[in-house]
Amino acid sequence: MAIDAVQLAADLKELRGLANAKLEDEPLPNGEEAGKRLRADIERYDLKSDIADLETKGYAILPPGKAKPVEFFDRLREAILRLAETRRHGELGPAMGFGATLYHLLPYDRVFEEALMAPATLTLVTYLVGYRAKLSQSTAIIKDSRAAALGMHADHSGKLPEPWPNIAQYCNVTWVTTDYTRENGAVCVWPGSHRFCRPVPDDVVFDHGREEIEVLEMPKGSVIVWHGSLWHGAVPRTTEGQRVTLVLPHVRDHVQPQEIYWATTTPEMIARNPARFSTLMGLHSPNPWLHDGPSLTARGLRPVTGSQFE
Ligand SMILES: O=C(O)CCC(=O)C(=O)O
Ligand SMILES: [Fe+2]
C-alpha cells in the first residue's frame, strides 16, 4: 500500500502550523542572542567544567542528581523494561555488541519526553549541535551477561563524509539507569580523540585494552554526553543481570535524523512542551516537503516586512 501523500502533506502542514505557532511566544535565539542565552544557561545549570570536558576530552559526565534526581532513572529503566516485553527488538543489536535494542521510544512513555527536555543535558546539546538540534534516536540498549564487546567507533562514522569538521554534527546523550562498571560492560572512550576528526582505524576497533582507552565507571543516575567524533565502544559484560541505557543522540539541523520523529508527534505533545520540543522533532525545519513546498512560516522563510505575504 502506497503512502497517501496528499494526507501526509495535510498532516504535516497541521503539525508545522502548531509548531510554528509555539515560536510566536518563544522564538529560538539567533546570532549574538543565541550565544548570550547559551552562556546564561551554562552558568545557571553549573556546566562550565562540563563544557571544558567536552572541549578537551570530547565527553562530559553529569553525576547523579545533576541532570535529574536518581529516582527519575528508576522510572526510565522501568519504562524501558516494560516496553521491552512487548516491542520488537532491533535485529542488528546483539550481533554488533549493542545488546537488545529498542528504537524510537519517545512516543511510548512520557518519561522519555522528560529526559529529552531536561535543561542541563539540553544545554550541553545546544553547545555541541546548536539551538536547531533535532533528536536523531530515542533508543534503549539492554545488555545481559552474554553481551559482547562493542567495537570502538565514532558516531559520525557512516553519517558524515570525511574529513570531519571540528564542530560536532551529531552528539550522544547517554542516560545511565544501571551502574556502569568494567564487569557490567561500561562504555569506554579514547579521551581527546574527537580532535582527530576521523574514524577509528581498523587495528583499534577491538583493542579495548590499549592504554589510551578509559572505561567510564559511574553510578546509576549519571548522564554522559559526547561529541560525534569521539572514539568509543563498550567492554563485554561478564556479570549477571542487565545493563539498561537510554541513548538520545541529536543532530544539527542540516543532518538527516536516524528516526522520523514528525511521523509520531501529536498535537498534544506539541502543546504540552516548550517550542524547542517541536524543533527537536524536526517540525521547525522547512524540509522535507511534498507537493506543497516549504511552509511560508518555516524558519528562514518569514515574509519580508511590507511584502504581499505579511
Ligand atoms: O552503550 C553502549 O554500549 C554504546 C552505545 C553507542 O555506541 C552509542 O550509543 O553511540
Ligand atoms: Fe556510538
Side-chain angles (χ1 to χ4, degrees), residues 77-240:
R77 190 185 57 257
E78 283 156 20
I80 290 168
L81 293 177
R82 183 173 45 74
L83 288 164
E85 286 172 17
T86 51
R87 285 174 63 83
R88 201 167 151 255
H89 293 218
E91 287 159 12
L92 282 179
M96 294 184 64
F98 281 106
T101 43
L102 297 173
Y103 295 109
H104 203 92
L105 289 179
L106 186 77
Y108 300 102
D109 197 298
R110 291 271 289 272
V111 75
F112 304 122
E113 219 171 287
E114 271 185 66
L116 177 67
M117 299 308 293
T121 43
L122 203 48
T123 301
L124 296 180
V125 166
T126 306
Y127 180 78
L128 285 171
V129 290
Y131 273 106
R132 313 282 164 188
K134 295 185 292 201
L135 182 62
S136 190
Q137 286 190 72
S138 48
T139 297
I141 298 172
I142 305 170
K143 294 191 183 183
D144 60 24
S145 53
R146 296 177 307 251
L150 171 65
M152 298 296 291
H153 65 282
D155 291 339
H156 280 163
S157 283
K159 301 184 184 76
L160 297 185
E162 297 154 47
W164 296 337
N166 290 325
I167 293 174
Q169 307 296 304
Y170 181 105
C171 73
N172 189 307
V173 183
T174 282
W175 292 74
V176 175
T177 81
T178 50
D179 294 344
Y180 270 19
T181 62
R182 182 180 287 275
E183 298 71 32
N184 288 354
V187 162
C188 55
V189 298
W190 180 314
S193 55
H194 64 302
R195 300 223 187 120
F196 303 159
C197 295
R198 61 184 165 90
V200 175
D202 288 348
D203 64 328
V204 176
V205 173
F206 281 105
D207 195 4
H208 294 77
R210 56 189 295 156
E211 62 174 354
E212 296 92 338
I213 296 175
E214 214 174 283
V215 177
L216 298 183
E217 300 197 298
M218 67 192 78
K220 163 185 99 178
S222 312
V223 180
I224 324 171
V225 178
W226 67 78
H227 186 298
S229 293
L230 181 75
W231 294 359
H232 65 281
V235 290
R237 186 178 171 96
T238 54
T239 47
E240 293 304 306

Side-chain angles (χ1 to χ4, degrees), residues 237-307:
R237 186 178 171 96
T238 54
T239 47
E240 293 304 306
Q242 287 175 314
R243 198 200 88 168
V244 182
T245 305
L246 174 71
V247 290
L248 296 177
H250 294 64
V251 290
R252 283 189 181 272
D253 193 14
H254 64 279
V255 181
Q256 173 85 26
Q258 293 155 289
E259 298 179 352
I260 309 173
Y261 283 100
W262 45 261
T264 52
T265 305
T266 62
E268 294 72 30
M269 288 160 88
I270 295 172
R272 68 181 173 230
N273 279 293
R276 182 95 196 258
F277 177 82
S278 295
T279 313
L280 289 161
M281 297 300 102
L283 288 166
H284 290 141
S285 298
N287 45 310
W289 61 73
L290 287 117
H291 51 272
D292 52 347
S295 132
L296 235 195
T297 51
R299 177 176 61 84
L301 295 170
R302 292 213 166 270
V304 177
T305 309
S307 81

Side-chain angles (χ1 to χ4, degrees), residues 7-33:
Q7 188 58 49
L8 178 57
D11 290 344
L12 259 174
K13 191 179 171 109
E14 189 194 332
L15 284 175
R16 284 183 166 139
L18 296 170
N20 285 330
K22 279 277 191 177
L23 287 180
E24 299 297 323
D25 298 331
E26 313 162 57
L28 285 172
N30 274 316
E32 273 183 33
E33 173 58 25

